[in-house]
Amino acid sequence: MEITLTSAAQSLSLSRSSVPSTSLISKFTPISSLSFTNFATTKQFSVRRRLIRRQNCLIKVQASTDGAITANQEQNDDFILEDVPHLTDFLPDLPACPNPLKKSQAYAIVKRTFVSPEDVVAQKIVVQKDSPRGKHFRRAGPRAKVYFQPEEVRACIVTCGGLCPGINTVIREIVCGLKDMYGVGEILGIQGGYRGFYSKNTIQLTPKSVNDIHKRGGTFLQTSRGGHDTNKIVDNIQDRGINQVYIIGGDGTQKGAAEIYKEVERRGIKVAVAGIPKTIDNDIAVIDKSFGFDTAVEEAQRAINAAHVEVESVENGVGIVKLMGRYSGFIAMHATLASRDVDCCLIPESPFYLEGQGGLFEFIEERLKENSHIVIVLAEGAGQEYVAQSLHAADEKDASGNKLLLDVGLWLTQKFKDHFTKVRKMGINMKYIDPTYMIRAVPSNASDNIYCTLLAQSAVHGAMAGFTGFTVGPVNSRHAYIPISRVTEAQNTVKLTDRMWARLLASTNQPSFLNSEVVQENS
């Protein structure tokens, strides 16, 4: 399919017949007007409401075999909108109605109550003069039109996976947002994760019942790993008359949310599926950071401070603090930078070695001679290959499909003892602190509480506006609606070639353990 047009101020309506893409790419010369309204596709992928206006420019629109719609022009000025699905994609005759926030006393004084359909958030904020404009996402927030009447909404909330500070705050703010902003009265809590849809009872959620849950750690609704059966879940959603589903969870949970949305679309039922990404490790792609991360870094300071006090009070004190970080070392890195009492930080992204020149044993011995003590922060996923080889352990996975980790902290503690006492004939005082479950079980701090409020309200606004199959999060400090596939396609990891890791190496003065060529290959 190829379309060419050359008229001033002419509207171009793009057809997506057999083109199931949610990505829009355009290259254009100076444009005085660029606008796009809600993007919606029918089940047969024909466009009803997707609209782009161009003035005084030649646009060539082409549909590729993989479904991407591309507008090409000679100048390299790419604009990519990664859009999210809408209920009208598969329910084209769904009526819209005015947003009740217009009558809200709280929003009465807001200069601009509703987000414009033209508002987008750029994924890449630092660009050069002639570089492409890059990828953008729809800005989150209330819309002038909604696709649910408050009295017809029956929403549900479910939490899955491991614990994280802030889950209860998100639950509370979804409930309060639905009730106080939109007047929704029917909100259900699904107990025990995904399997709670078909194996446990639900509970009624009201602003009163969730009033103080943000002051507690854990999840008010309980959680579990695994247990995802798409057909059973959607059957239960239909049986209960639920039409808004809010899913709080990590990578595996969000993949499950995407499957629920696909089944909802296949059945053609009016159900909005909204995901709120959760992981204490901060390993979710695209978004700036995950909720609970700031709290985890702050709480980790207690353990690091305790380790420093312990090792500073004895001769040749060696303290190891193990923090969470299965595949990504963000908590360990940020806690180290915040502390300034840490001598070495070991993370999964940066392999290390123990023996030989430039190894960890040599570094510890040198630091003990200088200061008579050393503090090491260790992410739980670091050095797993060494532990597995040493213990001849087989790969095992939990119910969510995550690899079960061996205790690298205990293994490293024993290695240090054996080397310094038996090989170097040198007495050391080992202190091993593992606060991982204490960190993830605490209530969220002030900054995370505010962040969780914004996440919850953005999800509510999106669902009421008819968006579905989306997740929400901050991109360059602006909340956006993001396709679920974007946050699950890859994990966010520490880049060893970025300045943040260089700052850590400068702060601790630890060895990098890798030469520059190896670092480039592994980053």
Side-chain angles (χ1 to χ4, degrees):
M1 177 183 72
E2 182 168 309
I3 307 168
T4 305
L5 57 89
T6 56
S7 63
Q10 183 173 1
S11 298
L12 170 64
S13 179
L14 302 179
S15 174
R16 281 201 298 181
S17 298
S18 71
V19 187
S21 171
T22 56
S23 177
L24 174 67
I25 308 174
S26 61
K27 298 180 181 179
F28 46 89
T29 50
I31 294 174
S32 58
S33 172
L34 168 63
S35 66
F36 43 89
T37 58
N38 291 327
F39 285 48
T41 321
T42 66
K43 223 171 182 180
Q44 292 74 34
F45 303 107
S46 64
V47 167
R48 298 179 54 260
R49 296 159 50 238
R50 185 164 276 192
L51 191 66
I52 299 180
R53 296 186 182 88
R54 296 285 187 271
Q55 291 185 346
N56 303 321
C57 64
L58 174 66
I59 308 170
K60 185 178 288 184
V61 182
Q62 185 171 359
S64 62
T65 55
D66 63 357
I69 299 178
T70 310
N72 298 311
Q73 202 174 18
E74 293 182 1
Q75 287 200 4
N76 184 28
D77 193 11
D78 295 326
F79 179 95
I80 304 170
L81 174 66
E82 297 209 342
D83 206 8
V84 296
H86 195 274
L87 288 172
T88 54
D89 290 0
F90 54 93
L91 297 170
D93 298 323
L94 198 64
C97 54
N99 194 321
L101 279 180
K102 280 186 174 181
K103 301 176 182 178
S104 168
Q105 186 177 7
Y107 278 81
I109 60 172
V110 177
K111 184 177 181 181
R112 186 179 170 190
T113 303
F114 302 118
V115 172
S116 167
E118 298 184 7
D119 286 356
V120 295
V121 178
Q123 182 175 7
K124 188 177 181 181
I125 197 169
V126 179
V127 296
Q128 288 73 45
K129 180 180 178 182
D130 297 321
S131 64
R133 293 180 66 183
K135 296 177 181 178
H136 298 71
F137 304 100
R138 283 192 181 274
R139 184 182 177 190
R143 265 54 181 177
K145 297 289 185 181
V146 295
Y147 286 80
F148 290 93
Q149 294 283 0
E151 61 273 11
E152 75 176 19
V153 174
R154 195 172 206 218
C156 76
I157 306 170
V158 64
T159 58
C160 307
L163 297 182
C164 176
I167 297 176
N168 281 334
T169 305
V170 175
I171 295 170
R172 181 189 188 278
E173 297 309 316
I174 291 175
V175 174
C176 293
L178 284 168
K179 176 64 176 176
D180 298 338
M181 291 191 297
Y182 288 97
V184 172
E186 279 281 324
I187 309 167
L188 303 176
I190 307 297
Q191 294 179 296
Y194 274 137
R195 62 171 54 94
F197 275 101
Y198 49 87
S199 64
K200 286 198 174 185
N201 292 328
T202 60
I203 58 174
Q204 290 285 339
L205 300 178
T206 64
K208 184 176 181 180
S209 68
V210 300
N211 182 55
D212 62 350
I213 63 172
H214 63 290
K215 299 176 183 178
R216 303 179 232 159
T219 166
F220 174 72
L221 296 176
Q222 300 181 327
T223 185
S224 67
R225 295 187 183 276
H228 185 275
D229 187 318
T230 304
N231 287 321
K232 285 185 178 181
I233 290 171
V234 178
D235 285 344
N236 187 271
I237 288 171
Q238 284 189 277
D239 291 343
R240 293 181 181 273
I242 294 168
N243 51 21
Q244 288 187 10
V245 183
Y246 296 91
I247 301 172
I248 306 168
D251 178 76
T253 302
Q254 297 307 316
K255 288 178 180 177
E259 292 301 314
I260 293 171
Y261 154 68
K262 290 175 185 176
E263 181 60 20
V264 164
E265 181 187 38
R266 190 189 70 79
R267 299 188 188 188
I269 55 178
K270 184 184 176 183
V271 177
V273 180
I276 296 94
K278 169 204 67 69
T279 170
I280 200 171
D281 293 346
N282 195 40
D283 59 359
I284 293 179
V286 182
I287 64 174
D288 296 343
K289 65 180 177 181
S290 52
F291 74 81
F293 177 71
D294 281 351
T295 303
V297 171
E298 183 178 299
E299 193 67 18
Q301 301 304 300
R302 298 174 183 268
I304 293 173
N305 291 340
H308 186 250
V309 169
E310 287 284 347
V311 299
E312 198 178 32
S313 301
V314 295
E315 185 180 3
N316 290 337
V318 179
I320 297 178
V321 178
K322 189 180 79 171
L323 300 177
M324 303 195 81
R326 181 182 296 273
Y327 304 112
S328 304
F330 287 104
I331 292 179
M333 179 175 72
H334 283 256
T336 295
L337 282 168
S339 171
R340 303 294 178 177
D341 286 330
V342 179
D343 298 278
C344 185
C345 177
L346 304 175
I347 60 175
E349 297 88 337
S350 181
F352 62 91
Y353 56 95
L354 300 177
E355 301 176 347
Q357 186 175 2
L360 192 55
F361 287 154
E362 182 183 79
F363 173 72
I364 291 173
E365 188 169 344
E366 290 176 356
R367 196 55 63 95
L368 288 176
K369 288 178 181 177
E370 292 175 10
N371 302 328
S372 77
H373 67 271
I374 183 171
V375 175
I376 299 171
V377 165
L378 174 69
E380 61 181 340
Q384 285 293 314
E385 64 277 15
Y386 305 135
V387 189
Q389 290 174 7
S390 176
L391 301 179
H392 306 288
D395 287 348
E396 295 183 37
K397 295 184 178 181
D398 62 19
S400 297
N402 298 314
K403 182 180 178 181
L404 288 175
L405 300 181
L406 301 167
D407 196 329
V408 65
L410 289 175
W411 176 82
L412 204 56
T413 298
Q414 191 59 50
K415 283 290 182 182
F416 289 165
K417 287 180 180 178
D418 293 343
H419 175 79
F420 287 104
T421 58
K422 297 177 182 178
V423 179
R424 301 300 295 168
K425 307 298 180 184
M426 176 180 170
I428 60 171
N429 285 287
M430 286 296 313
K431 308 294 180 183
Y432 176 47
I433 299 176
D434 181 359
T436 51
Y437 289 105
M438 295 173 63
I439 288 174
R440 76 178 198 170
V442 300
S444 52
N445 64 11
S447 64
D448 269 325
N449 268 334
I450 295 171
Y451 178 23
C452 290
T453 300
L454 295 177
L455 282 175
Q457 291 187 1
S458 293
V460 168
H461 291 316
M464 291 296 295
F467 294 115
T468 183
F470 71 93
T471 189
V472 65
V475 179
N476 291 318
S477 300
R478 291 289 184 271
H479 283 248
Y481 297 135
I482 307 164
I484 292 177
S485 60
R486 281 304 314 275
V487 299
T488 58
E489 65 188 5
Q491 286 182 313
N492 188 29
T493 57
V494 174
K495 301 295 184 294
L496 302 183
T497 51
D498 280 0
R499 291 189 182 90
M500 188 61 79
W501 184 246
R503 293 183 186 109
L504 181 140
L505 295 179
S507 173
T508 60
N509 200 27
Q510 70 184 66
S512 67
F513 300 109
L514 296 170
N515 59 42
S516 58
E517 289 80 9
V518 177
V519 170
Q520 292 288 347
E521 291 175 2
N522 286 273
S523 298

